[in-house]
PDB file of all heavy atoms in Angstrom:
ATOM      1  N   ASP B  39      -0.507 -26.065 -10.154  1.00 97.00           N
ATOM      2  CA  ASP B  39      -1.098 -24.784 -10.600  1.00 97.00           C
ATOM      3  C   ASP B  39      -1.421 -24.850 -12.093  1.00 97.00           C
ATOM      4  O   ASP B  39      -2.500 -24.423 -12.526  1.00 97.00           O
ATOM      5  CB  ASP B  39      -0.117 -23.622 -10.370  1.00 97.00           C
ATOM      6  CG  ASP B  39       0.112 -23.320  -8.895  1.00 97.00           C
ATOM      7  OD1 ASP B  39      -0.840 -23.447  -8.111  1.00 97.00           O
ATOM      8  OD2 ASP B  39       1.253 -22.972  -8.533  1.00 97.00           O
ATOM      9  N   LEU B  40      -0.480 -25.364 -12.857  1.00 98.00           N
ATOM     10  CA  LEU B  40      -0.682 -25.448 -14.312  1.00 98.00           C
ATOM     11  C   LEU B  40      -1.872 -26.343 -14.629  1.00 98.00           C
ATOM     12  O   LEU B  40      -2.691 -26.029 -15.504  1.00 98.00           O
ATOM     13  CB  LEU B  40       0.578 -25.998 -14.988  1.00 98.00           C
ATOM     14  CG  LEU B  40       1.819 -25.088 -14.934  1.00 98.00           C
ATOM     15  CD1 LEU B  40       3.036 -25.851 -15.437  1.00 98.00           C
ATOM     16  CD2 LEU B  40       1.609 -23.816 -15.735  1.00 98.00           C
ATOM     17  N   GLU B  41      -1.983 -27.457 -13.911  1.00 98.00           N
ATOM     18  CA  GLU B  41      -3.097 -28.391 -14.136  1.00 98.00           C
ATOM     19  C   GLU B  41      -4.433 -27.700 -13.859  1.00 98.00           C
ATOM     20  O   GLU B  41      -5.384 -27.826 -14.621  1.00 98.00           O
ATOM     21  CB  GLU B  41      -2.941 -29.617 -13.238  1.00 98.00           C
ATOM     22  CG  GLU B  41      -1.787 -30.528 -13.682  1.00 98.00           C
ATOM     23  CD  GLU B  41      -1.425 -31.603 -12.659  1.00 98.00           C
ATOM     24  OE1 GLU B  41      -2.015 -31.602 -11.550  1.00 98.00           O
ATOM     25  OE2 GLU B  41      -0.541 -32.426 -12.971  1.00 98.00           O
ATOM     26  N   GLN B  42      -4.480 -26.956 -12.746  1.00 97.00           N
ATOM     27  CA  GLN B  42      -5.730 -26.308 -12.357  1.00 97.00           C
ATOM     28  C   GLN B  42      -6.067 -25.128 -13.264  1.00 97.00           C
ATOM     29  O   GLN B  42      -7.218 -24.911 -13.631  1.00 97.00           O
ATOM     30  CB  GLN B  42      -5.622 -25.789 -10.917  1.00 97.00           C
ATOM     31  CG  GLN B  42      -5.668 -26.895  -9.879  1.00 97.00           C
ATOM     32  CD  GLN B  42      -5.688 -26.364  -8.459  1.00 97.00           C
ATOM     33  OE1 GLN B  42      -5.170 -25.272  -8.209  1.00 97.00           O
ATOM     34  NE2 GLN B  42      -6.254 -27.117  -7.545  1.00 97.00           N
ATOM     35  N   ASP B  43      -5.052 -24.329 -13.598  1.00 97.00           N
ATOM     36  CA  ASP B  43      -5.317 -23.065 -14.286  1.00 97.00           C
ATOM     37  C   ASP B  43      -5.435 -23.215 -15.796  1.00 97.00           C
ATOM     38  O   ASP B  43      -6.022 -22.363 -16.465  1.00 97.00           O
ATOM     39  CB  ASP B  43      -4.196 -22.048 -13.964  1.00 97.00           C
ATOM     40  CG  ASP B  43      -4.172 -21.675 -12.493  1.00 97.00           C
ATOM     41  OD1 ASP B  43      -5.215 -21.828 -11.823  1.00 97.00           O
ATOM     42  OD2 ASP B  43      -3.118 -21.225 -12.012  1.00 97.00           O
ATOM     43  N   GLY B  44      -4.868 -24.292 -16.339  1.00 98.00           N
ATOM     44  CA  GLY B  44      -4.882 -24.439 -17.795  1.00 98.00           C
ATOM     45  C   GLY B  44      -5.793 -25.531 -18.300  1.00 98.00           C
ATOM     46  O   GLY B  44      -6.086 -25.597 -19.494  1.00 98.00           O
ATOM     47  N   PHE B  45      -6.269 -26.408 -17.403  1.00 96.00           N
ATOM     48  CA  PHE B  45      -6.993 -27.575 -17.887  1.00 96.00           C
ATOM     49  C   PHE B  45      -8.297 -27.816 -17.137  1.00 96.00           C
ATOM     50  O   PHE B  45      -8.744 -28.953 -16.988  1.00 96.00           O
ATOM     51  CB  PHE B  45      -6.067 -28.802 -17.862  1.00 96.00           C
ATOM     52  CG  PHE B  45      -4.873 -28.593 -18.745  1.00 96.00           C
ATOM     53  CD1 PHE B  45      -3.708 -28.050 -18.244  1.00 96.00           C
ATOM     54  CD2 PHE B  45      -4.947 -28.867 -20.104  1.00 96.00           C
ATOM     55  CE1 PHE B  45      -2.625 -27.805 -19.071  1.00 96.00           C
ATOM     56  CE2 PHE B  45      -3.876 -28.634 -20.938  1.00 96.00           C
ATOM     57  CZ  PHE B  45      -2.707 -28.101 -20.412  1.00 96.00           C
ATOM     58  N   SER B  46      -8.879 -26.749 -16.624  1.00 91.00           N
ATOM     59  CA  SER B  46     -10.222 -26.831 -16.062  1.00 91.00           C
ATOM     60  C   SER B  46     -11.133 -25.951 -16.926  1.00 91.00           C
ATOM     61  O   SER B  46     -10.688 -25.418 -17.940  1.00 91.00           O
ATOM     62  CB  SER B  46     -10.212 -26.373 -14.610  1.00 91.00           C
ATOM     63  OG  SER B  46      -9.582 -25.117 -14.506  1.00 91.00           O
ATOM     64  N   LYS B  47     -12.368 -25.816 -16.519  1.00 89.00           N
ATOM     65  CA  LYS B  47     -13.318 -24.979 -17.275  1.00 89.00           C
ATOM     66  C   LYS B  47     -12.807 -23.537 -17.283  1.00 89.00           C
ATOM     67  O   LYS B  47     -12.271 -23.069 -16.292  1.00 89.00           O
ATOM     68  CB  LYS B  47     -14.695 -25.074 -16.581  1.00 89.00           C
ATOM     69  CG  LYS B  47     -15.850 -24.666 -17.446  1.00 89.00           C
ATOM     70  CD  LYS B  47     -17.179 -25.143 -16.841  1.00 89.00           C
ATOM     71  CE  LYS B  47     -18.363 -24.462 -17.539  1.00 89.00           C
ATOM     72  NZ  LYS B  47     -18.777 -23.226 -16.850  1.00 89.00           N
ATOM     73  N   ASN B  48     -12.987 -22.839 -18.390  1.00 89.00           N
ATOM     74  CA  ASN B  48     -12.478 -21.467 -18.529  1.00 89.00           C
ATOM     75  C   ASN B  48     -10.978 -21.367 -18.173  1.00 89.00           C
ATOM     76  O   ASN B  48     -10.598 -20.660 -17.241  1.00 89.00           O
ATOM     77  CB  ASN B  48     -13.258 -20.478 -17.641  1.00 89.00           C
ATOM     78  CG  ASN B  48     -14.723 -20.438 -17.999  1.00 89.00           C
ATOM     79  OD1 ASN B  48     -15.060 -20.472 -19.193  1.00 89.00           O
ATOM     80  ND2 ASN B  48     -15.585 -20.379 -17.002  1.00 89.00           N
ATOM     81  N   PRO B  49     -10.142 -22.055 -18.929  1.00 95.00           N
ATOM     82  CA  PRO B  49      -8.704 -22.028 -18.638  1.00 95.00           C
ATOM     83  C   PRO B  49      -8.098 -20.629 -18.786  1.00 95.00           C
ATOM     84  O   PRO B  49      -8.556 -19.835 -19.609  1.00 95.00           O
ATOM     85  CB  PRO B  49      -8.117 -22.984 -19.680  1.00 95.00           C
ATOM     86  CG  PRO B  49      -9.114 -23.003 -20.790  1.00 95.00           C
ATOM     87  CD  PRO B  49     -10.445 -22.851 -20.133  1.00 95.00           C
ATOM     88  N   PHE B  50      -7.077 -20.366 -17.977  1.00 97.00           N
ATOM     89  CA  PHE B  50      -6.393 -19.077 -18.029  1.00 97.00           C
ATOM     90  C   PHE B  50      -5.354 -19.026 -19.154  1.00 97.00           C
ATOM     91  O   PHE B  50      -4.864 -17.952 -19.496  1.00 97.00           O
ATOM     92  CB  PHE B  50      -5.719 -18.774 -16.678  1.00 97.00           C
ATOM     93  CG  PHE B  50      -6.646 -18.193 -15.669  1.00 97.00           C
ATOM     94  CD1 PHE B  50      -7.635 -18.960 -15.078  1.00 97.00           C
ATOM     95  CD2 PHE B  50      -6.548 -16.841 -15.322  1.00 97.00           C
ATOM     96  CE1 PHE B  50      -8.511 -18.392 -14.147  1.00 97.00           C
ATOM     97  CE2 PHE B  50      -7.417 -16.288 -14.377  1.00 97.00           C
ATOM     98  CZ  PHE B  50      -8.394 -17.066 -13.799  1.00 97.00           C
ATOM     99  N   PHE B  51      -4.976 -20.183 -19.680  1.00 98.00           N
ATOM    100  CA  PHE B  51      -4.014 -20.216 -20.788  1.00 98.00           C
ATOM    101  C   PHE B  51      -4.214 -21.496 -21.582  1.00 98.00           C
ATOM    102  O   PHE B  51      -4.922 -22.413 -21.153  1.00 98.00           O
ATOM    103  CB  PHE B  51      -2.568 -20.159 -20.245  1.00 98.00           C
ATOM    104  CG  PHE B  51      -2.182 -21.370 -19.429  1.00 98.00           C
ATOM    105  CD1 PHE B  51      -1.678 -22.510 -20.045  1.00 98.00           C
ATOM    106  CD2 PHE B  51      -2.353 -21.388 -18.046  1.00 98.00           C
ATOM    107  CE1 PHE B  51      -1.334 -23.638 -19.296  1.00 98.00           C
ATOM    108  CE2 PHE B  51      -2.016 -22.508 -17.300  1.00 98.00           C
ATOM    109  CZ  PHE B  51      -1.522 -23.629 -17.926  1.00 98.00           C
ATOM    110  N   HIS B  52      -3.559 -21.539 -22.740  1.00 98.00           N
ATOM    111  CA  HIS B  52      -3.483 -22.745 -23.559  1.00 98.00           C
ATOM    112  C   HIS B  52      -2.009 -23.040 -23.803  1.00 98.00           C
ATOM    113  O   HIS B  52      -1.172 -22.162 -23.648  1.00 98.00           O
ATOM    114  CB  HIS B  52      -4.191 -22.529 -24.891  1.00 98.00           C
ATOM    115  CG  HIS B  52      -5.582 -21.998 -24.752  1.00 98.00           C
ATOM    116  ND1 HIS B  52      -6.648 -22.778 -24.405  1.00 98.00           N
ATOM    117  CD2 HIS B  52      -6.058 -20.745 -24.879  1.00 98.00           C
ATOM    118  CE1 HIS B  52      -7.737 -22.014 -24.334  1.00 98.00           C
ATOM    119  NE2 HIS B  52      -7.409 -20.785 -24.617  1.00 98.00           N
ATOM    120  N   GLY B  53      -1.731 -24.274 -24.189  1.00 98.00           N
ATOM    121  CA  GLY B  53      -0.331 -24.621 -24.431  1.00 98.00           C
ATOM    122  C   GLY B  53      -0.172 -25.502 -25.648  1.00 98.00           C
ATOM    123  O   GLY B  53      -1.119 -26.205 -26.048  1.00 98.00           O
TER     124      GLY B  53
END
Side-chain angles (χ1 to χ4, degrees):
Chain B
D39 292 324
L40 294 171
E41 289 169 355
Q42 287 185 333
D43 295 337
F45 299 91
S46 51
K47 199 164 167 269
N48 299 320
F50 277 71
F51 65 87
H52 308 282

